[in-house]
Amino acid sequence: MSAPDWAAQALQQFDAVVAATPGLRVREGQRRMAELVAQTFGQAPLGRDGGEGDGGEPGRAIAVIEAGTGTGKSLAYAAPAIRMALARGTRVLIATATVALQEQLVHKDLPALAAAMPEPFSFALAKGRARYVCKLKLERLAGDDPAEDDALFPDDPAGADETASAEARGAFYQRLADDLASGRWDGDRDQLALPPDPALWAPVAAVAHTCTGRHCPLFAACTYYERRKELVAAQVIVANHDLLLSSIGARLLPELDNCLLIVDEAHHLPKTALSQFACEMDLSRLAWLAQLAGRALRVGAQVQVDDDVDVAACSTRLRAALQDAERLIVDLYGAPLHEAAARAPGQAASHRARAPAGRLPQPLTDALGQVLHHAGDFLEALRAIAKALREHIREEPGEARRLSQLYAQVGQLAPRLEAVHATAALLLQEAPEGDAPAAKWFTLSTTGGAVAVRAHASPVLPGAALAAHLWSRVRGAVLTSATLTSCGDFDFFLREAGLHGKPGVTTLQVASPFDYAAQGTLVASGTQAAPREVAAFTRQMIEALLADLAEVASGALVLFTSREQMRLAVEQLPPALRERVLVQGRQPRLALLARHRERVAQAQPSIIFGLQSFAEGMDLPGALCESLFITKLPFAPPDEPVDEARAEWLRASGGDPFIDLVVPATAMRLAQWVGRAIRGEDDHARVICYDKRLLHTGYGRRLLRGLPAFTLQERAARAAGTG
């Protein structure tokens, strides 16, 4: 069957689902999106022999679709994609931003779609293995005599020993074991009634480093591997962005060159990529090295390992190399820390130093080269021991339980060694001419006279990382979100996502079905003081905000750009307003939202004060958010090491970090903020922005072009001191 035939069938399937589902009606934008999804996946050259596109790159078909709020994008991508996968004998992989969104797809959207489609399909939720319990480690920690329990706990000061006593830990693990045995719990962390303390969960998580896989005596009953079986059989798999990137090259998810990939909430993908490919290591707290060597030697003594494997020597050499690097970093970058300690003896101090242009002094480069070399040797030794151990378990199954538990103790510390190796490698990496160098920086801190040093490295261009690791493997993909354009075009997102200028990439902007001009008003207010005059601006903004809040009759959301700004506003609330305001952080998010809904349902005014995390993904339809207040444009200046390094590279390349990076990123963030106001076709809301730059600067007008077409009103700034 040809690509046009496949696409026509897939679009017909979408049309049939819409026609057969009560309450659904044809929406022009939704159908345009479904049509492009069908065309894209019909053209995707699947398989390793999919051919080459322009420039010798692998052939691919990728659609980037901004679908405005209310479009119904999950149906628009899922119905044609699933029909296409069934016709082409492949699978659909959906990656969204969070586990909560995954569960919405698996428990709500896909079951409804399966009921409406004539051809059955199976689907499953994929989560990282750390979200499942390791029954072997739990058995050990919940046992009557859990000797050497601490071997499964981190030795960091912030480890589990600080958060819970041995008795409390034992009781926690016993409860988990009892719930597993009784069937009240299935081993999935997300199914626990209360989220567990991360420090208590980590020792029983089914992470790869502590797992002997099919050699484990409890393999047949393992929750994680049971879920993997479901994935193998599923025709639609729902993952998240972190898992998509972290499992590249592994066998957990479908091969990217032979499946149909959908990236939902795609505006999160670049940030996730930077987090995924960044690394760091501790050069000061090194007790774990001796622990790792001791555990590895204990395992090695149980099995026959190549005589060339000398774990003790590897550990000793690596420790010395790390200490040499630490001394050099303190000598090179520690002066501000020593000055702070001299000014305030006995008080904690910290300092961050970034290597300009990613260039390290030669002595430090030499020292890190030794770290990389010895860390590599140590990793090879551990791999040899692990291989010998698995062979021994296969030959002596009666020893499986004891040796698997020993392996888990080694594996609990192995990620630290891998982090040392990866960080040293990225710190030593030199960028090709014209490419952006990695961001490289060091954090130094002192408490009680002792200096602690950490080294960090990260790519600065998420697009380059995604192009190298993800898109080089993908043949067919759809990326979608309600906010992918910035200041009216896709250029910024395409660069951030590694797709700018790539062959086979198509973009589509689908407007929301909402009549924003009739449903909403954007009030461009302002203050006499400019936002750069922080104290005066904040004082005048709060005065105007309080006057507007007094008129709120139903639900409202106030978004602040900083915690300090929000604190000052809370302090100045008069008693009558204080009773109506719910402040982020004062109670759990779910409890705050429940209280807000309760008040609005009783026709009482209710106002939420929130920060960035309340500005995205917050669904407050109808009366729950009839007023939205934006206290200041959400600029995020490049003052973190990765942002600083990127701004430095942009300037060196002749660019302008503010125009090329800050403004486009702010445009996407502001669109998310404003998107909290209108959530349905019957909603009516007003948005008030107190930052006069929105109308009175060139970049502000660029930001305005990227917002929904609300009816625009300009309001003069209140005179200082007036009511």
Side-chain angles (χ1 to χ4, degrees), residues 294-421:
R295 295 176 193 181
L297 287 169
R298 186 176 173 188
V299 174
Q302 312 292 317
V303 297
Q304 289 190 345
V305 186
D306 192 312
D307 291 339
D308 292 337
V309 175
D310 191 343
V311 169
C314 289
S315 173
T316 300
R317 291 167 186 154
L318 178 56
R319 184 186 187 92
L322 286 166
Q323 289 173 332
D324 287 345
E326 180 195 32
R327 282 192 291 270
L328 275 168
I329 292 167
V330 172
D331 289 345
L332 288 164
Y333 305 111
L337 192 72
H338 297 315
E339 293 169 4
R343 288 194 301 270
Q347 292 188 14
S350 62
H351 174 61
R352 184 180 73 204
R354 184 177 61 83
R359 298 191 188 97
L360 299 176
Q362 190 60 47
L364 182 54
T365 297
D366 295 340
L368 289 170
Q370 290 298 304
V371 170
L372 180 66
H373 174 72
H374 296 307
D377 287 348
F378 202 167
L379 282 172
E380 285 300 318
L382 289 185
R383 292 187 187 109
I385 291 172
K387 180 180 178 182
L389 180 138
R390 288 191 293 268
E391 291 174 352
H392 189 81
I393 292 176
R394 185 168 58 248
E395 295 168 0
E396 300 288 341
E399 293 286 289
R401 178 172 262 95
R402 181 175 64 85
L403 290 177
S404 291
Q405 288 173 338
L406 288 174
Y407 183 84
Q409 295 176 32
V410 175
Q412 203 75 15
L413 294 172
R416 300 191 190 193
L417 180 58
E418 292 188 346
V420 167
H421 188 267

Side-chain angles (χ1 to χ4, degrees), residues 2 16 58 157 199 219 229 235 338 356 558 601 624 632 639 649 715:
S2 67
F219 175 76
K229 291 178 186 176
Q235 291 155 305
H338 297 315
V558 185
L624 294 174
K632 189 178 181 182
D639 56 4
W649 176 74
R715 187 175 73 183

Side-chain angles (χ1 to χ4, degrees), residues 485-721:
T485 58
S486 175
C487 303
D489 61 53
F490 284 96
D491 287 354
F492 178 71
F493 174 76
L494 292 174
R495 286 194 297 270
E496 294 292 282
L499 295 172
H500 194 268
K502 297 292 185 181
V505 177
T506 305
T507 61
L508 173 67
Q509 188 173 13
V510 175
S512 168
F514 305 154
D515 185 349
Y516 283 106
Q519 293 179 247
T521 302
L522 173 59
V523 179
S525 185
T527 56
Q528 291 186 326
R532 66 177 177 273
E533 304 169 83
V534 177
F537 168 80
T538 301
R539 183 176 64 255
Q540 293 171 22
M541 178 275 293
I542 291 175
E543 182 180 331
L545 172 66
L546 296 181
D548 287 328
L549 291 182
E551 300 175 4
V552 168
S554 191
L557 174 63
V558 185
L559 295 173
F560 295 89
T561 56
S562 72
R563 195 169 297 278
E564 174 64 11
Q565 187 190 54
M566 184 168 74
R567 183 190 67 79
L568 292 171
V570 170
E571 280 185 355
Q572 296 182 45
L573 287 170
L577 277 179
R578 191 177 298 271
E579 295 176 357
R580 304 176 184 179
V581 171
L582 300 165
V583 182
Q584 179 183 353
R586 298 267 179 97
Q587 56 184 306
R589 179 183 177 117
L590 291 178
L592 182 150
L593 293 176
R595 179 64 178 135
H596 180 69
R597 292 189 182 97
E598 178 185 334
R599 285 177 173 177
V600 174
Q602 296 171 355
Q604 298 175 2
S606 184
I607 302 164
I608 296 175
F609 276 16
L611 300 165
Q612 171 63 34
S613 60
F614 272 46
E616 183 175 346
M618 179 75 75
D619 193 19
L620 298 172
L624 294 174
C625 187
E626 291 187 345
S627 299
L628 172 68
F629 301 94
I630 295 174
T631 56
K632 189 178 181 182
L633 292 176
F635 284 104
D639 56 4
E640 292 297 316
V642 174
D643 298 327
E644 290 173 352
R646 184 169 181 178
E648 177 183 69
W649 176 74
L650 280 170
R651 281 191 291 268
S653 305
D656 181 335
F658 181 74
I659 296 300
D660 298 340
L661 180 61
V662 176
V663 170
T666 302
M668 294 185 72
R669 194 175 301 114
L670 182 62
Q672 285 284 341
W673 285 34
V674 172
R676 300 313 97 208
I678 302 291
R679 308 299 296 173
E681 294 183 21
D682 296 324
D683 288 0
H684 290 82
R686 65 169 182 162
V687 178
I688 300 179
C689 177
Y690 297 102
D691 194 326
K692 62 183 179 181
R693 293 175 294 180
L694 186 62
L695 283 188
H696 299 291
T697 63
Y699 60 80
R701 290 188 289 274
R702 284 183 61 198
L703 298 178
L704 193 59
R705 286 200 299 271
L707 299 181
F710 290 106
T711 296
L712 181 63
Q713 294 180 0
E714 184 173 6
R715 187 175 73 183
R718 295 171 183 266

Side-chain angles (χ1 to χ4, degrees), residues 432-453:
E433 186 70 28
D435 288 356
K440 305 171 185 180
W441 72 100
F442 307 95
T443 51
L444 301 88
S445 59
T446 179
T447 305
V451 177
V453 177

